[in-house]
Amino acid sequence: MPCGYHGKILHVNLTTGKLELEEPDETFYRKYMGGSAMAAYYLLKQTPPGADPLGPENTLSLMTGVVTGAPFSGQSRVTAVAKSPVTGLVGDSQAGGFWPAELKAAGFDGIVIYGKSGRPVYLWLHDGEAELRDAAHLWGHFTADVEDVIREELSDRRIQVLQCGPAAEKGVRFGALINNASRANGRTGMGTVMASKNLKAVAVRGHNRPELADPEAVKALAKWGVDHFEGSNVYGLGLLGTAGVVSSQDKNGGLPTRNWASGTFEGAEAISGQRMADTILKERDTCFGCLIRCKRVVEVTEGPFPVDPRYGGPEYETISTMGSYCGLSDLVAIARANQLCNMYGMDTISCGATIAWAMDCFERGLLTLEDTGGIELRFGNAGALVQMVERIGKREGFGRVLGEGSARAAETLGVGRDLVVAVKNHELPAHMPQVKRSLALIYAVNPFGADHMSHEHDPSYKWYPERMAELGLLDPQPLQVLNAEKVRYALYTQYLCSCLDSVSLCQFVFGPAWQLYGPSQLVEAVRAVTGWNASLWELMKVGERRLNLLRAFNAREGSGAEVDTVPPKLLIPLQGGKSDGVAVAAEEVEAAKALYYRMAGWDENGRPTRAKLEELALGWVADELAL
Amino acid sequence: MPCGYHGKILHVNLTTGKLELEEPDETFYRKYMGGSAMAAYYLLKQTPPGADPLGPENTLSLMTGVVTGAPFSGQSRVTAVAKSPVTGLVGDSQAGGFWPAELKAAGFDGIVIYGKSGRPVYLWLHDGEAELRDAAHLWGHFTADVEDVIREELSDRRIQVLQCGPAAEKGVRFGALINNASRANGRTGMGTVMASKNLKAVAVRGHNRPELADPEAVKALAKWGVDHFEGSNVYGLGLLGTAGVVSSQDKNGGLPTRNWASGTFEGAEAISGQRMADTILKERDTCFGCLIRCKRVVEVTEGPFPVDPRYGGPEYETISTMGSYCGLSDLVAIARANQLCNMYGMDTISCGATIAWAMDCFERGLLTLEDTGGIELRFGNAGALVQMVERIGKREGFGRVLGEGSARAAETLGVGRDLVVAVKNHELPAHMPQVKRSLALIYAVNPFGADHMSHEHDPSYKWYPERMAELGLLDPQPLQVLNAEKVRYALYTQYLCSCLDSVSLCQFVFGPAWQLYGPSQLVEAVRAVTGWNASLWELMKVGERRLNLLRAFNAREGSGAEVDTVPPKLLIPLQGGKSDGVAVAAEEVEAAKALYYRMAGWDENGRPTRAKLEELALGWVADELAL
């Protein structure tokens, strides 16, 4: 590896205030690449088994990857990993924006955060320098305001801020990390972990663009992207945002509606991407260096639900969880709920899905106005939704209960357990296993709970056969089948997605479904930036390595197949629309799970074996697990 | 896969005389690529469990690959696969030459041969036409003479002939397939299988060069090879042939001497590549389209051991098995023995190693002149060696016994069982596990017995770190260690070698040790010729698929870990030279074996699991094995 990568990892001990710089060797970078794999490395090394997710012994890593900051689309991504207060197992979440590239320009690949500060602080990183600063005056404030104050006090408008919000400070389990006031490492409560450490924010600013081993190749990759953008699938994503899929999901019977009772929503058109573009859309936004511009910026100045464009606009997941999940077709109310989540720093998926669960209970009489503090939690009640989001953000009244997430709320209240649509306490995102069958498997087995970005959904088989072939997937499949070939498809695409989350690349740009770039260009991107003669074999193995690291963390916690479940609600036939009468078959999932474990090289309890870990050059993890 | 590959497989039923053409779809080609993987596919599909290797129900495939015949180095390769009369399990052997490219030019990717002809025939393939012709007049004749007769009677001097020889006709177990009178699919007795079917030869001639999806890319790959040849490791291979390693093997204590009693041979210089170049070398020869010119052509016109250049010259393996194995430093005698093997159509490795075993027995008084028919089978006796080779070729006298190979000979004679240096009855080639430790594992587990081309030997770690990194092998290793990292190294490089034997590429040009081209150029070669956007992931999985197909064949025969053994002689410390006192440790190999099985996704008996087979899109094999 003659011309390789070098970089810096900052270790922040909040208990002692000590900041240390690590400059790992090239082999380390090439083995883990960055992002989730590298963060999981530190989590396993630094956090003891049985740690309290909200205690000082939890380790929170914020990692970019080896390609972050290079001038092509899709490279400005950051992964947050820690033990999750939502799942009690490993937590993992990605976000884009400008923060990741700015961190790199400031001279850091990532940050590993230990301990707990005695008082609120924030971390200020700029051009190789790092310092902890007082954050007492920032505590309790909304994300955009915190950004403004930090930029003001450090006299630089171009500072990028990644932070937890007031919800996380108060202990809402699904607290997000918010950057740019509109981009979220939303899932698995990473904001809550940060808040538990009395760390408010990480502000970054730098002037050093990353070295490129082959600038001409980077330029060529970028140019190819520009030249092929209009003809690509992702072009539509730029036009309508992720909201563009509302209509097609609905048409396919795959838009979760009224807490997953149906896959079809009569109000779909009213909350569609096209409707957004025709009404509240103010502009399109982007991440550093990306030409897609898939981010929405919406504005509403009048009416009961004002929306400040500073907080961006709702993604498809938010539209569905706050909208169709809740039987709600009021796009403005959804946009307002989205803003509140970004202000308070909350995961829109868990927040919306938990409210949808509560509405389901309310409709069935399992919850009453007395329980909800007077909020009429009926499907379709826009005011109730917005009010409830705010109460959760403040952790007030019934919001305190729902801020624990649907699964814990059901336990606390003793109602609606079978109405919870979550895996490992992690609420399901808005893609339905009933119509894309591989999701049933991946929702169940994913180490950090139900997740829609952990593998490629079934239909991309037919969208990009030539790119699937690069992954060794040659045989097409019908949709509503979960056979051996589909398990194989799920596993291979999971490796790819897992690699993207480690190299730190956006799945909209490099993932197999929406992609602008195919797998061979993923290889090219890594090569051009690092100078390594990387291969797709090597990169897929990085993805597999990351998946095994996450899974090994859970195994060390004593967790295995018993938490790899499908929520019972999915076994009940859907009502109406194209997916009328369709249900997930429990036996099918169990058979697929058993096959998947074996394919992955795990034991029958879903735990990585020593042989698999050794095969991935992770012998130290096998030792850690005492295998 | 819009711009893919198409080709033709000829099915030849010798029992009925029926010839059928199959044009498999592109998915089939992309999944198996050709060579060994494709041949193994037909063997598993067509040959029932328990078949007699020399009976009509055995299926012999001769397969080229998707890149064969394209104008760059290392692509003219053919694999022969059938159930082996040597191992009683799967047999597999590769060769180069001009025959593979000529077969492709004649319009065929491969030939699958069934049944048994009532009388000797040969197959004549020319420009898309195929016919079976009488071969009674060819039976019993030496290979070069058979070539001459066929070329004469078909009036084309450029016909290429692949054939079994008189030894195979007579039933010598380790009969080779010889093409160009000097290139051998030597190992595992594929020539004997062909002879058992009364098929003497396959003569080919064609005028159609294969279509190239991207001729410019092919040209660029070829030009890169020309430009980088002189600076590459393989340049020396061109200069001195494989014989060039005699000296370095000896210096490292890795030249098997006197039936593996020592790793150092006092006569090494006398049989070295340099000595050959200085004495008997007439010229360098090549395979179709290859610039390396690693093949030797030697000539001796006077003395007791004349050598006809028509039969080429000895490779390193031959020099060692006929030379140092037998304590023999007479290069001319070795060259004569090599010629005899090519004339009679025998594997030089099994032949030489079996004679070395007999010499070991003779020296110990376990065999007498009575046993050997008067031949003084002492180490270093050149006349005895040459005489013995000829007797084996004729299957006369003691040659009848030794023609069964060392393991069967030991059983028949009831002596020297512990002196046999073979795995699965397959004699060890001339690379010593004592000094390159991963060989101990791969010799033991390889499905077709001890083989030196089935993975990359240990030292290449340091030779090409950047190319090892492409394979995901980042951590260097000392040589005399067989730890988990070494097992991983063995498995990954086995997948690569297995891929090369399926795509049908020469390991001297594309393999990790000698290589001119690295793994990324392997990908490029497949892309340029087929138009597929191939990846190294996909290609490594082809390699893994082939390995599992071979292993599955053995499992279907009821065979598993019990035949994955190390010969007892390797456990005895070597004497003299750099490896003095060094031995293979049985426990180390057993531990590595257990880990290797699990890494490979096999059960504790070394049998592929259903999950692994399904992962490789080989569900049909799992069904075949009733898993």
Side-chain angles (χ1 to χ4, degrees):
Chain A
M1 301 173 292
C3 46
Y5 185 87
H6 59 275
K8 295 188 177 77
I9 309 285
L10 181 68
H11 293 262
V12 178
N13 187 323
L14 291 165
T15 305
T16 64
K18 197 165 168 192
L19 307 178
E20 278 184 300
L21 208 55
E22 181 191 8
E23 300 191 47
D25 66 18
E26 193 182 346
T27 301
F28 179 76
Y29 276 105
R30 192 154 180 182
K31 196 179 278 181
Y32 299 99
M33 295 276 174
S36 181
M38 205 173 274
Y41 168 89
Y42 288 110
L43 182 65
L44 264 163
K45 287 265 183 186
Q46 303 291 351
T47 295
D52 177 1
L54 302 179
E57 67 273 36
N58 200 359
T59 306
L60 172 65
S61 290
L62 305 171
M63 286 287 165
T64 67
V66 290
V67 298
T68 308
F72 57 80
S73 295
Q75 47 50 52
S76 186
R77 302 283 295 174
V78 59
T79 292
V81 162
K83 188 169 179 181
S84 165
V86 174
T87 67
L89 301 168
V90 72
D92 183 298
S93 188
Q94 278 73 38
F98 293 83
W99 190 91
E102 197 70 30
L103 176 72
K104 195 72 159 258
F108 304 92
D109 290 313
I111 311 165
V112 189
I113 302 159
Y114 313 85
K116 179 178 181 172
S117 173
R119 57 190 173 79
V121 291
Y122 75 96
L123 185 61
W124 166 223
L125 306 180
H126 50 107
D127 289 323
E129 301 294 314
E131 61 178 302
L132 286 166
R133 293 175 63 98
D134 182 67
H137 58 303
L138 305 173
W139 211 249
H141 291 276
F142 293 135
T143 52
D145 301 332
V146 167
E147 268 192 7
D148 288 344
V149 172
I150 290 177
R151 286 170 178 168
E152 183 72 21
E153 73 186 28
L154 296 173
S155 308
D156 190 338
R157 292 295 306 161
R158 304 193 64 176
I159 286 169
Q160 292 294 331
V161 177
L162 177 143
Q163 60 182 310
C164 57
E169 295 169 18
K170 290 215 160 72
V172 171
R173 294 242 171 215
F174 44 79
L177 292 168
I178 304 287
N179 81 76
N180 214 28
S182 57
R183 315 305 166 87
N185 294 85
R187 308 233 65 192
T188 70
M190 295 298 98
T192 309
V193 173
M194 189 151 128
S196 76
K197 297 183 170 304
N198 269 334
L199 180 66
K200 180 62 188 171
V202 182
V204 296
R205 181 74 177 108
H207 296 82
N208 295 305
R209 287 291 147 223
E211 273 182 58
L212 306 176
D214 185 348
E216 288 308 309
V218 173
K219 200 182 287 179
L221 187 74
K223 185 177 182 314
W224 190 97
V226 172
D227 293 346
H228 291 79
F229 179 45
E230 275 201 38
S232 77
N233 207 355
V234 81
Y235 186 67
L237 188 70
L239 289 181
L240 296 180
T242 53
V245 305
V246 170
S247 302
S248 56
Q249 294 276 70
D250 180 61
K251 208 169 299 170
N252 294 330
L255 184 67
T257 298
R258 294 186 179 84
N259 197 33
W260 290 69
S262 172
T264 304
F265 183 42
E266 68 283 2
E269 279 317 303
I271 59 172
S272 68
Q274 190 59 55
R275 183 64 63 89
M276 198 195 308
D278 294 343
T279 56
I280 61 176
L281 187 70
K282 182 180 159 72
E283 57 186 344
R284 294 159 56 184
D285 199 3
T286 188
C287 299
F288 174 83
C290 187
L291 61 80
I292 316 294
R293 297 202 293 145
C294 72
K295 305 303 295 180
R296 306 292 95 174
V297 179
V298 301
E299 184 171 32
V300 179
T301 51
E302 293 174 1
F305 306 126
V307 183
D308 179 352
R310 177 73 183 273
Y311 289 101
E315 299 291 335
Y316 163 69
E317 299 296 327
T318 310
I319 291 174
S320 184
T321 50
M322 299 289 184
S324 61
Y325 277 48
C326 296
L328 195 83
S329 54
D330 183 335
L331 189 57
V332 172
I334 292 168
R336 176 69 188 169
N338 178 67
Q339 171 176 334
L340 290 170
C341 285
N342 286 347
M343 285 169 71
Y344 284 93
M346 297 190 292
D347 176 26
T348 59
I349 296 176
S350 282
C351 188
T354 298
I355 295 172
W357 166 82
M359 285 176 168
D360 202 355
C361 292
F362 193 92
E363 294 276 2
R364 291 166 195 261
L366 302 170
L367 292 175
T368 64
L369 285 174
E370 200 177 341
D371 293 311
T372 66
I375 301 179
E376 191 94 18
L377 272 183
R378 295 214 173 271
F379 284 130
N381 184 343
L385 172 83
V386 172
Q387 214 178 344
M388 203 61 245
V389 172
E390 192 138 22
R391 289 213 186 155
I392 295 172
K394 292 178 172 167
R395 212 160 178 241
E396 275 181 9
F398 195 55
R400 173 170 286 270
V401 178
L402 296 191
E404 296 289 298
S406 55
R408 285 184 177 82
E411 289 305 318
T412 304
L413 298 165
V415 298
R417 287 186 189 90
D418 57 337
L419 303 177
V420 170
V421 187
V423 180
K424 303 180 178 71
N425 296 340
H426 198 232
E427 285 78 12
L428 261 61
H431 298 268
M432 303 189 80
Q434 292 92 337
V435 296
K436 302 176 198 168
R437 204 49 65 94
S438 66
L439 281 161
L441 171 65
I442 297 297
Y443 280 168
V445 298
N446 192 55
F448 51 93
D451 184 62
H452 59 296
M453 302 300 280
S454 287
H455 85 301
E456 195 41 65
H457 305 179
D458 306 23
S460 53
Y461 254 120
K462 53 179 181 212
W463 292 348
Y464 288 107
E466 73 286 7
R467 289 177 173 184
M468 287 295 139
E470 282 184 72
L471 301 179
L473 298 164
L474 295 166
D475 301 318
Q477 284 286 320
L479 285 182
Q480 282 174 25
V481 163
L482 186 48
N483 59 8
E485 176 63 21
K486 189 66 71 69
V487 173
R488 179 173 176 259
Y489 167 82
L491 184 67
Y492 277 23
T493 61
Q494 191 176 23
Y495 291 159
L496 182 68
C497 291
S498 188
C499 167
L500 294 175
D501 288 347
S502 299
V503 178
S504 296
L505 285 166
C506 179
Q507 292 189 24
F508 291 160
V509 182
F510 284 89
W514 283 106
Q515 64 195 353
L516 177 59
Y517 295 121
S520 57
Q521 289 159 315
L522 159 64
V523 175
E524 180 58 21
V526 174
R527 284 185 184 183
V529 176
T530 63
W532 299 328
N533 203 16
S535 74
L536 190 61
W537 167 262
E538 186 189 352
L539 290 171
M540 290 286 276
K541 285 289 170 184
V542 168
E544 189 180 356
R545 188 171 292 129
R546 176 265 200 165
L547 180 62
N548 276 269
L549 285 165
L550 300 187
R551 196 82 195 179
F553 181 89
N554 289 358
R556 201 184 58 174
E557 296 291 319
S559 169
E562 75 288 351
V563 294
D564 290 351
T565 56
V566 169
K569 196 138 199 217
L570 271 58
L571 309 179
I572 299 166
L574 295 170
Q575 290 163 13
K578 197 172 174 190
S579 54
D580 185 57
V582 178
V584 170
E587 327 78 68
E588 193 183 57
V589 178
E590 284 305 307
K593 232 175 81 176
L595 181 58
Y596 170 91
Y597 290 160
R598 293 302 191 176
M599 274 195 194
W602 301 341
D603 69 15
E604 68 286 354
N605 198 22
R607 286 176 298 219
T609 58
R610 172 169 282 274
K612 175 48 76 179
L613 293 169
E614 295 277 17
E615 190 235 297
L616 298 169
L618 295 176
W620 66 269
V621 178
D623 295 341
E624 189 65 46
L625 268 58
L627 290 174
Chain B
M1 301 174 293
C3 45
Y5 186 88
H6 58 275
K8 296 188 177 77
I9 309 283
L10 181 68
H11 294 261
V12 178
N13 188 324
L14 290 166
T15 305
T16 62
K18 196 166 169 193
L19 306 180
E20 277 183 301
L21 210 54
E22 181 191 9
E23 299 190 46
D25 67 18
E26 192 181 348
T27 301
F28 179 76
Y29 275 106
R30 193 155 180 180
K31 196 179 277 179
Y32 299 98
M33 295 277 172
S36 180
M38 205 173 273
Y41 169 90
Y42 288 110
L43 181 65
L44 263 162
K45 288 264 184 188
Q46 302 292 350
T47 295
D52 176 0
L54 301 180
E57 66 273 36
N58 199 358
T59 307
L60 172 66
S61 290
L62 305 172
M63 285 286 164
T64 68
V66 290
V67 298
T68 308
F72 57 81
S73 295
Q75 44 52 50
S76 185
R77 302 284 293 172
V78 59
T79 292
V81 163
K83 189 170 181 181
S84 165
V86 173
T87 67
L89 301 168
V90 72
D92 183 298
S93 189
Q94 277 75 37
F98 293 83
W99 190 90
E102 197 69 32
L103 177 71
K104 196 72 159 259
F108 303 92
D109 290 314
I111 311 166
V112 189
I113 301 159
Y114 313 84
K116 178 177 180 173
S117 173
R119 56 188 174 82
V121 291
Y122 74 97
L123 186 61
W124 165 225
L125 307 180
H126 49 108
D127 290 321
E129 301 295 314
E131 59 179 304
L132 285 167
R133 294 174 63 97
D134 182 66
H137 58 304
L138 305 174
W139 210 249
H141 290 277
F142 294 135
T143 52
D145 300 332
V146 167
E147 269 191 11
D148 288 344
V149 171
I150 290 178
R151 285 170 179 167
E152 182 73 20
E153 74 185 29
L154 296 172
S155 308
D156 191 339
R157 292 294 308 161
R158 305 194 64 176
I159 285 170
Q160 293 294 331
V161 178
L162 179 144
Q163 60 183 307
C164 56
E169 294 170 18
K170 290 216 158 71
V172 172
R173 292 242 170 214
F174 43 79
L177 293 168
I178 304 288
N179 80 77
N180 214 29
S182 57
R183 316 305 167 84
N185 296 83
R187 307 233 65 193
T188 69
M190 295 297 98
T192 310
V193 174
M194 190 153 125
S196 77
K197 296 183 170 304
N198 268 335
L199 180 65
K200 177 64 186 170
V202 182
V204 296
R205 183 72 177 110
H207 297 81
N208 295 305
R209 287 292 147 222
E211 273 182 57
L212 305 176
D214 185 347
E216 288 308 310
V218 172
K219 202 182 286 179
L221 186 74
K223 184 176 181 316
W224 189 98
V226 172
D227 293 346
H228 291 79
F229 178 46
E230 275 201 37
S232 77
N233 207 355
V234 82
Y235 186 66
L237 188 70
L239 289 182
L240 296 181
T242 54
V245 305
V246 170
S247 303
S248 55
Q249 294 276 67
D250 180 61
K251 208 171 299 169
N252 294 329
L255 184 66
T257 298
R258 295 187 179 84
N259 196 33
W260 289 69
S262 172
T264 303
F265 181 44
E266 69 283 0
E269 280 318 302
I271 59 172
S272 69
Q274 189 60 55
R275 182 65 62 89
M276 198 196 308
D278 294 342
T279 56
I280 61 176
L281 187 69
K282 181 181 158 75
E283 58 186 340
R284 294 160 55 187
D285 198 2
T286 189
C287 299
F288 175 82
C290 186
L291 60 81
I292 316 295
R293 297 202 294 144
C294 72
K295 306 303 294 181
R296 304 293 93 176
V297 178
V298 300
E299 184 170 30
V300 179
T301 50
E302 294 174 2
F305 307 125
V307 183
D308 179 352
R310 177 76 182 273
Y311 287 102
E315 299 291 334
Y316 163 69
E317 300 298 328
T318 310
I319 292 175
S320 185
T321 50
M322 300 290 184
S324 60
Y325 278 49
C326 296
L328 195 84
S329 54
D330 183 335
L331 189 57
V332 171
I334 293 168
R336 175 69 190 172
N338 179 67
Q339 171 177 333
L340 290 171
C341 284
N342 286 346
M343 284 168 72
Y344 283 93
M346 296 191 291
D347 176 25
T348 59
I349 297 176
S350 282
C351 187
T354 298
I355 294 171
W357 167 81
M359 286 178 169
D360 202 355
C361 292
F362 193 92
E363 294 275 1
R364 293 165 193 261
L366 300 171
L367 292 176
T368 62
L369 285 173
E370 200 178 342
D371 293 311
T372 65
I375 301 179
E376 190 94 15
L377 271 184
R378 295 214 172 270
F379 284 130
N381 185 345
L385 172 84
V386 171
Q387 212 177 345
M388 201 64 247
V389 171
E390 192 138 22
R391 288 216 187 152
I392 295 172
K394 292 178 173 167
R395 214 163 175 235
E396 276 180 9
F398 195 52
R400 173 171 284 270
V401 179
L402 295 192
E404 293 290 297
S406 54
R408 286 185 176 83
E411 290 305 320
T412 303
L413 299 166
V415 298
R417 288 187 186 88
D418 56 339
L419 303 177
V420 168
V421 187
V423 179
K424 302 181 178 71
N425 297 341
H426 198 231
E427 286 76 13
L428 262 60
H431 298 266
M432 302 188 80
Q434 291 94 335
V435 296
K436 304 176 197 167
R437 205 49 66 95
S438 65
L439 281 162
L441 171 65
I442 297 298
Y443 281 169
V445 299
N446 192 55
F448 50 94
D451 185 62
H452 59 296
M453 301 301 281
S454 286
H455 86 302
E456 195 40 65
H457 305 181
D458 306 23
S460 54
Y461 254 120
K462 53 179 182 213
W463 293 347
Y464 288 106
E466 73 286 5
R467 290 177 173 182
M468 287 295 140
E470 282 184 73
L471 300 179
L473 297 166
L474 296 166
D475 301 319
Q477 284 286 318
L479 285 183
Q480 283 174 23
V481 163
L482 187 49
N483 59 10
E485 177 62 22
K486 189 67 69 69
V487 172
R488 177 173 177 260
Y489 167 81
L491 183 67
Y492 278 24
T493 61
Q494 190 176 23
Y495 290 160
L496 182 68
C497 291
S498 187
C499 167
L500 294 174
D501 288 347
S502 299
V503 178
S504 295
L505 285 165
C506 179
Q507 292 189 24
F508 291 160
V509 183
F510 284 90
W514 283 106
Q515 63 196 352
L516 176 62
Y517 295 121
S520 58
Q521 289 159 314
L522 159 65
V523 175
E524 180 58 22
V526 174
R527 283 186 185 183
V529 176
T530 63
W532 298 328
N533 203 16
S535 74
L536 190 61
W537 166 262
E538 185 189 352
L539 290 172
M540 290 286 276
K541 285 289 171 186
V542 169
E544 190 180 354
R545 189 171 292 129
R546 176 265 198 168
L547 179 62
N548 275 269
L549 284 165
L550 299 189
R551 196 84 195 177
F553 181 87
N554 288 358
R556 202 183 57 175
E557 296 292 318
S559 167
E562 76 288 350
V563 293
D564 290 352
T565 56
V566 169
K569 196 140 198 216
L570 271 57
L571 310 179
I572 299 167
L574 294 170
Q575 290 163 16
K578 199 175 173 189
S579 54
D580 185 57
V582 178
V584 169
E587 327 77 67
E588 194 184 55
V589 178
E590 282 306 306
K593 233 174 80 177
L595 181 60
Y596 170 91
Y597 289 161
R598 292 303 192 177
M599 275 194 193
W602 302 341
D603 68 15
E604 68 286 353
N605 198 22
R607 286 177 297 222
T609 58
R610 173 169 281 275
K612 174 50 75 179
L613 293 169
E614 295 276 18
E615 191 236 296
L616 297 169
L618 295 176
W620 66 269
V621 178
D623 295 342
E624 189 64 46
L625 267 60
L627 290 174

